[in-house]
Amino acid sequence: MNPKWWKESVVYQIYPISFMDSNGDGIGDLRGIISKLDYLKDLGVDVIWVCPIYKSPNHDNGYDISDYCDIMAEFGTMEDFDLMLKEIHLRGMKLVMDLVLNHTSHKHPWFLESRRSKDDPKRDFYIWRKGKNGGPPNNWESYFSGSVWEYDEQTDEYYLHLYSKYQPDLNWENPQVVEKLHEMVAWWLKKGVDGFRFDAIAHIVKQKGLPDADNPHRAPTVRAYEMFSNLEDVHTMLQNLYDKVLYFYDIMTVGETSGLGPEQALDYVGDGRRELNMTFQFEHMFLDAASAGSGKWDVVPWSLIELKKIMTNWQTVLHNRGWNANYLCNHDQPRSVSRFGNDMVCRVPSAKMLATFIHTLEGTPYIYQGEEIGMTNVAFDSIDDYRDVETLNYYEEQRMNGVPEEEIMKAIHKKSRDNARTPMQWDGTEHAGFTTGTPWLRVNSNHMEINVVNAVKDPDSIFHYYKKLIALRKQHKVIVYGEYKLLLPEHEEIYAYTRTLENERLLVILNFFGKEPMLELPDEFNPDGIELLISNYEPRKGEDFRKLKLRPYEARVYLQRL
Ligand code: GLC
Ligand code: CA
């Protein structure tokens, strides 16, 4: 079972620009975060992951870093950062930084130097190539639409950017780049941070020779992203980073690694690999997409059986060999209750059911800001109200392709990253208590009803349910370390499983939809010594838990001593 503090922890993700504004400029900031630490402590979380707060021109909300060792002016100063870290530690919590090592901002001094001339000493810090047949050097497509190549007149060459053109990719084949990044990571560790989420880490190495992909995207065979995802040398780079820097600290690391299954994930997180503690997998995030990559915008219905297959595979393969990071939402995804639950008639029970799911799987649970009060997607009428670079690029591209406005907006309402980025809803006042000024992105109009003040007041709220789930994790080791076993694999509406550790067994029953299916459990489940730990409905009098008519989105967790 190999106990570790980061296995027993619950992580809360903060998207700083939207969390809390302390000075009325409409932009969340570090002082804002500090003012809400007591709220997070009360919720019970152990670790706070803060999305990038480094100096940045903000083309991708901080994921375009122009100085790794400075703080974004809009967010505050290094003194504010030091105070935030101190206040987090004072409350017994930990801080995980979000580090972008795959690329920098185009305003980073390294890139400014690199683009100056072909023989600049920093030229090789980035990936420059000559064009081919009057076009870009290869056919790879960017995550944010269009080619990964941007032409630069000054030296008549193209530079590579997997994300926006404001995010040139660093060249990890250059040892000087690697050394500089190591120094910087060590600098943050010496400051006392407790770990890192490594952004886009699967992509730091590209296929040698940068060959064309069979089909740049949506192809069933070699997709472009296989040219720059999870390649063997990524592991060499990570082991090097681990041995030289990370090894010396008791920290937590989680990598963002799209495009892999659990067997491949073991290469990152397998015990003894000396790489990362966990990775974020994406298989379940593509359940409702017509295809991977840019197929995310073509929304298709998702099936529970598929979800079970994916999660069961991760739970089983990683057990005793690695560790899972479990999540349903983050700053890049739609709101979980709108996507996998029901944000209309059953918002509260369905949000609680989804929380039960994430907190009772093996792995570390992640809560994305606002998820603990059941915040929902938004649907702004006009593209002018959207801010996300991915969304705006998609809109432009689709307009150029002649797709009707209405159709594009429909996809945006479902999948835009701004769904998760609207300001945190603290109260029912004009801008949801997020700012006294004008928020950088409009607040969701449902903040009058859905907000922290209401949630904290109501003992039956989603917030209090999360508190209870988090507290249970601290009381029962079986929730952290128990071995997962799927029940009723073919059931289309009920997701049920057990978790077993020594003589304790957890039984988790989740009704994923709004109907009322019958639950019938195998005989091995007898009522002897069974205890209901948590549920989102009152149990009915005289019921037999082995034969239950479940209510819409009902969730129950039982503990049994064997
Ligand atoms: C990751 C981040 C995302 C960002 C991208 C480029 O996917 O989560 O927000 O846009 O990397 O840094
Ligand atoms: Ca501010």
Side-chain angles (χ1 to χ4, degrees), residues 60 63 100 103 144 163 167 197 199-200 256 331-332 417 421:
D60 189 19
Y63 284 91
V100 189
H103 47 268
F144 294 166
Y163 296 89
Q167 295 164 296
R197 177 242 186 209
D199 182 72
E256 188 198 28
H331 64 293
D332 293 330
R417 304 195 297 180
R421 298 177 179 186

mmCIF file with all atom_site columns, all heavy atoms in Angstrom, residues 60 63 100 103 144 163 167 197 199-200 256 331-332 417 421, ligand 1:
data_model
loop_
_atom_site.group_PDB
_atom_site.id
_atom_site.type_symbol
_atom_site.label_atom_id
_atom_site.label_alt_id
_atom_site.label_comp_id
_atom_site.label_asym_id
_atom_site.label_entity_id
_atom_site.label_seq_id
_atom_site.pdbx_PDB_ins_code
_atom_site.Cartn_x
_atom_site.Cartn_y
_atom_site.Cartn_z
_atom_site.occupancy
_atom_site.B_iso_or_equiv
_atom_site.pdbx_formal_charge
_atom_site.auth_seq_id
_atom_site.auth_comp_id
_atom_site.auth_asym_id
_atom_site.auth_atom_id
_atom_site.pdbx_PDB_model_num
ATOM   1   N N   . ASP A 1 60  ? -2.880  33.283 -22.742 1.00 0.00 ? 60  ASP A N   1
ATOM   2   C CA  . ASP A 1 60  ? -3.543  32.039 -22.362 1.00 0.00 ? 60  ASP A CA  1
ATOM   3   C C   . ASP A 1 60  ? -3.627  31.992 -20.834 1.00 0.00 ? 60  ASP A C   1
ATOM   4   O O   . ASP A 1 60  ? -3.290  30.980 -20.218 1.00 0.00 ? 60  ASP A O   1
ATOM   5   C CB  . ASP A 1 60  ? -2.760  30.837 -22.941 1.00 0.00 ? 60  ASP A CB  1
ATOM   6   C CG  . ASP A 1 60  ? -3.504  29.510 -22.765 1.00 0.00 ? 60  ASP A CG  1
ATOM   7   O OD1 . ASP A 1 60  ? -4.732  29.537 -22.533 1.00 0.00 ? 60  ASP A OD1 1
ATOM   8   O OD2 . ASP A 1 60  ? -2.847  28.461 -22.850 1.00 0.00 ? 60  ASP A OD2 1
ATOM   9   N N   . TYR A 1 63  ? -0.585  30.665 -18.918 1.00 0.00 ? 63  TYR A N   1
ATOM   10  C CA  . TYR A 1 63  ? 0.113   29.502 -19.459 1.00 0.00 ? 63  TYR A CA  1
ATOM   11  C C   . TYR A 1 63  ? 1.105   29.930 -20.550 1.00 0.00 ? 63  TYR A C   1
ATOM   12  O O   . TYR A 1 63  ? 1.629   29.114 -21.303 1.00 0.00 ? 63  TYR A O   1
ATOM   13  C CB  . TYR A 1 63  ? -0.865  28.443 -19.974 1.00 0.00 ? 63  TYR A CB  1
ATOM   14  C CG  . TYR A 1 63  ? -1.501  27.666 -18.835 1.00 0.00 ? 63  TYR A CG  1
ATOM   15  C CD1 . TYR A 1 63  ? -2.703  28.077 -18.266 1.00 0.00 ? 63  TYR A CD1 1
ATOM   16  C CD2 . TYR A 1 63  ? -0.863  26.551 -18.297 1.00 0.00 ? 63  TYR A CD2 1
ATOM   17  C CE1 . TYR A 1 63  ? -3.258  27.388 -17.205 1.00 0.00 ? 63  TYR A CE1 1
ATOM   18  C CE2 . TYR A 1 63  ? -1.419  25.851 -17.236 1.00 0.00 ? 63  TYR A CE2 1
ATOM   19  C CZ  . TYR A 1 63  ? -2.615  26.277 -16.697 1.00 0.00 ? 63  TYR A CZ  1
ATOM   20  O OH  . TYR A 1 63  ? -3.158  25.598 -15.645 1.00 0.00 ? 63  TYR A OH  1
ATOM   21  N N   . VAL A 1 100 ? 4.806   25.447 -16.499 1.00 0.00 ? 100 VAL A N   1
ATOM   22  C CA  . VAL A 1 100 ? 4.716   25.208 -17.932 1.00 0.00 ? 100 VAL A CA  1
ATOM   23  C C   . VAL A 1 100 ? 6.133   25.066 -18.476 1.00 0.00 ? 100 VAL A C   1
ATOM   24  O O   . VAL A 1 100 ? 6.852   26.049 -18.603 1.00 0.00 ? 100 VAL A O   1
ATOM   25  C CB  . VAL A 1 100 ? 3.996   26.381 -18.626 1.00 0.00 ? 100 VAL A CB  1
ATOM   26  C CG1 . VAL A 1 100 ? 3.704   26.038 -20.073 1.00 0.00 ? 100 VAL A CG1 1
ATOM   27  C CG2 . VAL A 1 100 ? 2.725   26.754 -17.876 1.00 0.00 ? 100 VAL A CG2 1
ATOM   28  N N   . HIS A 1 103 ? 6.603   25.173 -23.124 1.00 0.00 ? 103 HIS A N   1
ATOM   29  C CA  . HIS A 1 103 ? 6.726   26.391 -23.936 1.00 0.00 ? 103 HIS A CA  1
ATOM   30  C C   . HIS A 1 103 ? 6.843   27.599 -23.026 1.00 0.00 ? 103 HIS A C   1
ATOM   31  O O   . HIS A 1 103 ? 6.603   27.489 -21.819 1.00 0.00 ? 103 HIS A O   1
ATOM   32  C CB  . HIS A 1 103 ? 5.519   26.546 -24.855 1.00 0.00 ? 103 HIS A CB  1
ATOM   33  C CG  . HIS A 1 103 ? 4.198   26.324 -24.153 1.00 0.00 ? 103 HIS A CG  1
ATOM   34  N ND1 . HIS A 1 103 ? 3.581   25.094 -24.089 1.00 0.00 ? 103 HIS A ND1 1
ATOM   35  C CD2 . HIS A 1 103 ? 3.391   27.156 -23.452 1.00 0.00 ? 103 HIS A CD2 1
ATOM   36  C CE1 . HIS A 1 103 ? 2.460   25.181 -23.402 1.00 0.00 ? 103 HIS A CE1 1
ATOM   37  N NE2 . HIS A 1 103 ? 2.315   26.421 -22.989 1.00 0.00 ? 103 HIS A NE2 1
ATOM   38  N N   . PHE A 1 144 ? -4.801  24.565 -30.648 1.00 0.00 ? 144 PHE A N   1
ATOM   39  C CA  . PHE A 1 144 ? -5.698  25.719 -30.682 1.00 0.00 ? 144 PHE A CA  1
ATOM   40  C C   . PHE A 1 144 ? -6.000  26.156 -32.115 1.00 0.00 ? 144 PHE A C   1
ATOM   41  O O   . PHE A 1 144 ? -6.052  27.337 -32.418 1.00 0.00 ? 144 PHE A O   1
ATOM   42  C CB  . PHE A 1 144 ? -5.087  26.886 -29.894 1.00 0.00 ? 144 PHE A CB  1
ATOM   43  C CG  . PHE A 1 144 ? -4.966  26.631 -28.406 1.00 0.00 ? 144 PHE A CG  1
ATOM   44  C CD1 . PHE A 1 144 ? -4.183  27.468 -27.614 1.00 0.00 ? 144 PHE A CD1 1
ATOM   45  C CD2 . PHE A 1 144 ? -5.639  25.586 -27.791 1.00 0.00 ? 144 PHE A CD2 1
ATOM   46  C CE1 . PHE A 1 144 ? -4.082  27.261 -26.236 1.00 0.00 ? 144 PHE A CE1 1
ATOM   47  C CE2 . PHE A 1 144 ? -5.540  25.367 -26.425 1.00 0.00 ? 144 PHE A CE2 1
ATOM   48  C CZ  . PHE A 1 144 ? -4.748  26.204 -25.642 1.00 0.00 ? 144 PHE A CZ  1
ATOM   49  N N   . TYR A 1 163 ? 0.580   25.022 -28.996 1.00 0.00 ? 163 TYR A N   1
ATOM   50  C CA  . TYR A 1 163 ? -0.615  25.760 -28.545 1.00 0.00 ? 163 TYR A CA  1
ATOM   51  C C   . TYR A 1 163 ? -0.709  27.045 -29.374 1.00 0.00 ? 163 TYR A C   1
ATOM   52  O O   . TYR A 1 163 ? -0.529  26.984 -30.582 1.00 0.00 ? 163 TYR A O   1
ATOM   53  C CB  . TYR A 1 163 ? -0.550  25.962 -27.029 1.00 0.00 ? 163 TYR A CB  1
ATOM   54  C CG  . TYR A 1 163 ? -0.609  24.622 -26.312 1.00 0.00 ? 163 TYR A CG  1
ATOM   55  C CD1 . TYR A 1 163 ? 0.551   23.902 -26.025 1.00 0.00 ? 163 TYR A CD1 1
ATOM   56  C CD2 . TYR A 1 163 ? -1.831  24.033 -25.999 1.00 0.00 ? 163 TYR A CD2 1
ATOM   57  C CE1 . TYR A 1 163 ? 0.496   22.649 -25.423 1.00 0.00 ? 163 TYR A CE1 1
ATOM   58  C CE2 . TYR A 1 163 ? -1.895  22.776 -25.401 1.00 0.00 ? 163 TYR A CE2 1
ATOM   59  C CZ  . TYR A 1 163 ? -0.736  22.089 -25.111 1.00 0.00 ? 163 TYR A CZ  1
ATOM   60  O OH  . TYR A 1 163 ? -0.807  20.846 -24.529 1.00 0.00 ? 163 TYR A OH  1
ATOM   61  N N   . GLN A 1 167 ? 2.824   31.062 -27.755 1.00 0.00 ? 167 GLN A N   1
ATOM   62  C CA  . GLN A 1 167 ? 3.415   30.064 -26.858 1.00 0.00 ? 167 GLN A CA  1
ATOM   63  C C   . GLN A 1 167 ? 4.419   29.176 -27.596 1.00 0.00 ? 167 GLN A C   1
ATOM   64  O O   . GLN A 1 167 ? 4.174   27.985 -27.807 1.00 0.00 ? 167 GLN A O   1
ATOM   65  C CB  . GLN A 1 167 ? 2.291   29.201 -26.249 1.00 0.00 ? 167 GLN A CB  1
ATOM   66  C CG  . GLN A 1 167 ? 1.352   29.998 -25.353 1.00 0.00 ? 167 GLN A CG  1
ATOM   67  C CD  . GLN A 1 167 ? 0.043   29.276 -25.066 1.00 0.00 ? 167 GLN A CD  1
ATOM   68  O OE1 . GLN A 1 167 ? -0.741  29.023 -25.989 1.00 0.00 ? 167 GLN A OE1 1
ATOM   69  N NE2 . GLN A 1 167 ? -0.209  28.935 -23.830 1.00 0.00 ? 167 GLN A NE2 1
ATOM   70  N N   . ARG A 1 197 ? 2.369   20.794 -10.606 1.00 0.00 ? 197 ARG A N   1
ATOM   71  C CA  . ARG A 1 197 ? 1.584   20.188 -11.675 1.00 0.00 ? 197 ARG A CA  1
ATOM   72  C C   . ARG A 1 197 ? 2.334   20.611 -12.944 1.00 0.00 ? 197 ARG A C   1
ATOM   73  O O   . ARG A 1 197 ? 2.525   21.803 -13.209 1.00 0.00 ? 197 ARG A O   1
ATOM   74  C CB  . ARG A 1 197 ? 0.162   20.750 -11.676 1.00 0.00 ? 197 ARG A CB  1
ATOM   75  C CG  . ARG A 1 197 ? -0.709  20.217 -12.821 1.00 0.00 ? 197 ARG A CG  1
ATOM   76  C CD  . ARG A 1 197 ? -1.152  21.334 -13.720 1.00 0.00 ? 197 ARG A CD  1
ATOM   77  N NE  . ARG A 1 197 ? -2.092  20.908 -14.744 1.00 0.00 ? 197 ARG A NE  1
ATOM   78  C CZ  . ARG A 1 197 ? -2.179  21.509 -15.928 1.00 0.00 ? 197 ARG A CZ  1
ATOM   79  N NH1 . ARG A 1 197 ? -1.407  22.534 -16.230 1.00 0.00 ? 197 ARG A NH1 1
ATOM   80  N NH2 . ARG A 1 197 ? -3.059  21.093 -16.809 1.00 0.00 ? 197 ARG A NH2 1
ATOM   81  N N   . ASP A 1 199 ? 2.491   21.163 -16.579 1.00 0.00 ? 199 ASP A N   1
ATOM   82  C CA  . ASP A 1 199 ? 1.610   21.400 -17.716 1.00 0.00 ? 199 ASP A CA  1
ATOM   83  C C   . ASP A 1 199 ? 2.160   20.750 -18.991 1.00 0.00 ? 199 ASP A C   1
ATOM   84  O O   . ASP A 1 199 ? 3.362   20.830 -19.256 1.00 0.00 ? 199 ASP A O   1
ATOM   85  C CB  . ASP A 1 199 ? 1.521   22.927 -17.921 1.00 0.00 ? 199 ASP A CB  1
ATOM   86  C CG  . ASP A 1 199 ? 0.594   23.307 -19.043 1.00 0.00 ? 199 ASP A CG  1
ATOM   87  O OD1 . ASP A 1 199 ? -0.624  23.179 -18.866 1.00 0.00 ? 199 ASP A OD1 1
ATOM   88  O OD2 . ASP A 1 199 ? 1.093   23.740 -20.110 1.00 0.00 ? 199 ASP A OD2 1
ATOM   89  N N   . ALA A 1 200 ? 1.272   20.147 -19.766 1.00 0.00 ? 200 ALA A N   1
ATOM   90  C CA  . ALA A 1 200 ? 1.618   19.669 -21.116 1.00 0.00 ? 200 ALA A CA  1
ATOM   91  C C   . ALA A 1 200 ? 2.928   18.888 -21.162 1.00 0.00 ? 200 ALA A C   1
ATOM   92  O O   . ALA A 1 200 ? 3.647   18.913 -22.163 1.00 0.00 ? 200 ALA A O   1
ATOM   93  C CB  . ALA A 1 200 ? 1.687   20.856 -22.084 1.00 0.00 ? 200 ALA A CB  1
ATOM   94  N N   . GLU A 1 256 ? 0.420   16.571 -16.637 1.00 0.00 ? 256 GLU A N   1
ATOM   95  C CA  . GLU A 1 256 ? -0.704  16.579 -17.574 1.00 0.00 ? 256 GLU A CA  1
ATOM   96  C C   . GLU A 1 256 ? -0.287  15.772 -18.805 1.00 0.00 ? 256 GLU A C   1
ATOM   97  O O   . GLU A 1 256 ? 0.585   16.187 -19.556 1.00 0.00 ? 256 GLU A O   1
ATOM   98  C CB  . GLU A 1 256 ? -1.053  18.010 -17.970 1.00 0.00 ? 256 GLU A CB  1
ATOM   99  C CG  . GLU A 1 256 ? -2.328  18.062 -18.782 1.00 0.00 ? 256 GLU A CG  1
ATOM   100 C CD  . GLU A 1 256 ? -2.494  19.354 -19.559 1.00 0.00 ? 256 GLU A CD  1
ATOM   101 O OE1 . GLU A 1 256 ? -1.484  19.986 -19.917 1.00 0.00 ? 256 GLU A OE1 1
ATOM   102 O OE2 . GLU A 1 256 ? -3.636  19.726 -19.824 1.00 0.00 ? 256 GLU A OE2 1
ATOM   103 N N   . HIS A 1 331 ? -9.813  23.693 -15.317 1.00 0.00 ? 331 HIS A N   1
ATOM   104 C CA  . HIS A 1 331 ? -9.957  24.964 -16.038 1.00 0.00 ? 331 HIS A CA  1
ATOM   105 C C   . HIS A 1 331 ? -10.039 24.799 -17.552 1.00 0.00 ? 331 HIS A C   1
ATOM   106 O O   . HIS A 1 331 ? -10.227 25.784 -18.248 1.00 0.00 ? 331 HIS A O   1
ATOM   107 C CB  . HIS A 1 331 ? -8.778  25.865 -15.673 1.00 0.00 ? 331 HIS A CB  1
ATOM   108 C CG  . HIS A 1 331 ? -7.482  25.274 -16.137 1.00 0.00 ? 331 HIS A CG  1
ATOM   109 N ND1 . HIS A 1 331 ? -6.957  24.111 -15.598 1.00 0.00 ? 331 HIS A ND1 1
ATOM   110 C CD2 . HIS A 1 331 ? -6.619  25.643 -17.125 1.00 0.00 ? 331 HIS A CD2 1
ATOM   111 C CE1 . HIS A 1 331 ? -5.831  23.806 -16.222 1.00 0.00 ? 331 HIS A CE1 1
ATOM   112 N NE2 . HIS A 1 331 ? -5.598  24.717 -17.142 1.00 0.00 ? 331 HIS A NE2 1
ATOM   113 N N   . ASP A 1 332 ? -9.856  23.586 -18.051 1.00 0.00 ? 332 ASP A N   1
ATOM   114 C CA  . ASP A 1 332 ? -9.918  23.339 -19.500 1.00 0.00 ? 332 ASP A CA  1
ATOM   115 C C   . ASP A 1 332 ? -11.187 22.610 -19.909 1.00 0.00 ? 332 ASP A C   1
ATOM   116 O O   . ASP A 1 332 ? -11.357 22.294 -21.091 1.00 0.00 ? 332 ASP A O   1
ATOM   117 C CB  . ASP A 1 332 ? -8.735  22.465 -19.940 1.00 0.00 ? 332 ASP A CB  1
ATOM   118 C CG  . ASP A 1 332 ? -7.401  23.170 -19.793 1.00 0.00 ? 332 ASP A CG  1
ATOM   119 O OD1 . ASP A 1 332 ? -7.364  24.412 -19.906 1.00 0.00 ? 332 ASP A OD1 1
ATOM   120 O OD2 . ASP A 1 332 ? -6.390  22.478 -19.550 1.00 0.00 ? 332 ASP A OD2 1
ATOM   121 N N   . ARG A 1 417 ? -13.787 26.381 -22.725 1.00 0.00 ? 417 ARG A N   1
ATOM   122 C CA  . ARG A 1 417 ? -13.082 26.377 -21.444 1.00 0.00 ? 417 ARG A CA  1
ATOM   123 C C   . ARG A 1 417 ? -13.580 27.499 -20.529 1.00 0.00 ? 417 ARG A C   1
ATOM   124 O O   . ARG A 1 417 ? -13.393 27.441 -19.320 1.00 0.00 ? 417 ARG A O   1
ATOM   125 C CB  . ARG A 1 417 ? -11.573 26.509 -21.687 1.00 0.00 ? 417 ARG A CB  1
ATOM   126 C CG  . ARG A 1 417 ? -11.032 25.424 -22.618 1.00 0.00 ? 417 ARG A CG  1
ATOM   127 C CD  . ARG A 1 417 ? -9.530  25.319 -22.566 1.00 0.00 ? 417 ARG A CD  1
ATOM   128 N NE  . ARG A 1 417 ? -8.849  26.524 -23.029 1.00 0.00 ? 417 ARG A NE  1
ATOM   129 C CZ  . ARG A 1 417 ? -7.517  26.653 -23.060 1.00 0.00 ? 417 ARG A CZ  1
ATOM   130 N NH1 . ARG A 1 417 ? -6.755  25.658 -22.669 1.00 0.00 ? 417 ARG A NH1 1
ATOM   131 N NH2 . ARG A 1 417 ? -6.955  27.765 -23.498 1.00 0.00 ? 417 ARG A NH2 1
ATOM   132 N N   . ARG A 1 421 ? -14.363 28.940 -16.266 1.00 0.00 ? 421 ARG A N   1
ATOM   133 C CA  . ARG A 1 421 ? -13.539 30.097 -15.901 1.00 0.00 ? 421 ARG A CA  1
ATOM   134 C C   . ARG A 1 421 ? -14.342 31.302 -15.459 1.00 0.00 ? 421 ARG A C   1
ATOM   135 O O   . ARG A 1 421 ? -13.758 32.337 -15.113 1.00 0.00 ? 421 ARG A O   1
ATOM   136 C CB  . ARG A 1 421 ? -12.631 30.455 -17.081 1.00 0.00 ? 421 ARG A CB  1
ATOM   137 C CG  . ARG A 1 421 ? -11.695 29.319 -17.412 1.00 0.00 ? 421 ARG A CG  1
ATOM   138 C CD  . ARG A 1 421 ? -10.822 29.597 -18.624 1.00 0.00 ? 421 ARG A CD  1
ATOM   139 N NE  . ARG A 1 421 ? -9.915  28.467 -18.872 1.00 0.00 ? 421 ARG A NE  1
ATOM   140 C CZ  . ARG A 1 421 ? -8.964  28.476 -19.794 1.00 0.00 ? 421 ARG A CZ  1
ATOM   141 N NH1 . ARG A 1 421 ? -8.789  29.537 -20.556 1.00 0.00 ? 421 ARG A NH1 1
ATOM   142 N NH2 . ARG A 1 421 ? -8.186  27.416 -19.948 1.00 0.00 ? 421 ARG A NH2 1
HETATM 143 C C1  . GLC B 2 .   ? -2.574  22.828 -20.647 1.00 0.00 ? 1   GLC B C1  1
HETATM 144 C C2  . GLC B 2 .   ? -3.345  23.762 -19.762 1.00 0.00 ? 1   GLC B C2  1
HETATM 145 C C3  . GLC B 2 .   ? -4.121  24.702 -20.624 1.00 0.00 ? 1   GLC B C3  1
HETATM 146 C C4  . GLC B 2 .   ? -3.172  25.472 -21.482 1.00 0.00 ? 1   GLC B C4  1
HETATM 147 C C5  . GLC B 2 .   ? -2.234  24.545 -22.260 1.00 0.00 ? 1   GLC B C5  1
HETATM 148 C C6  . GLC B 2 .   ? -1.086  25.299 -22.818 1.00 0.00 ? 1   GLC B C6  1
HETATM 149 O O1  . GLC B 2 .   ? -3.386  22.015 -21.408 1.00 0.00 ? 1   GLC B O1  1
HETATM 150 O O2  . GLC B 2 .   ? -4.129  23.056 -18.860 1.00 0.00 ? 1   GLC B O2  1
HETATM 151 O O3  . GLC B 2 .   ? -4.935  25.570 -19.891 1.00 0.00 ? 1   GLC B O3  1
HETATM 152 O O4  . GLC B 2 .   ? -3.885  26.262 -22.397 1.00 0.00 ? 1   GLC B O4  1
HETATM 153 O O5  . GLC B 2 .   ? -1.687  23.538 -21.447 1.00 0.00 ? 1   GLC B O5  1
HETATM 154 O O6  . GLC B 2 .   ? -0.209  25.694 -21.806 1.00 0.00 ? 1   GLC B O6  1
#
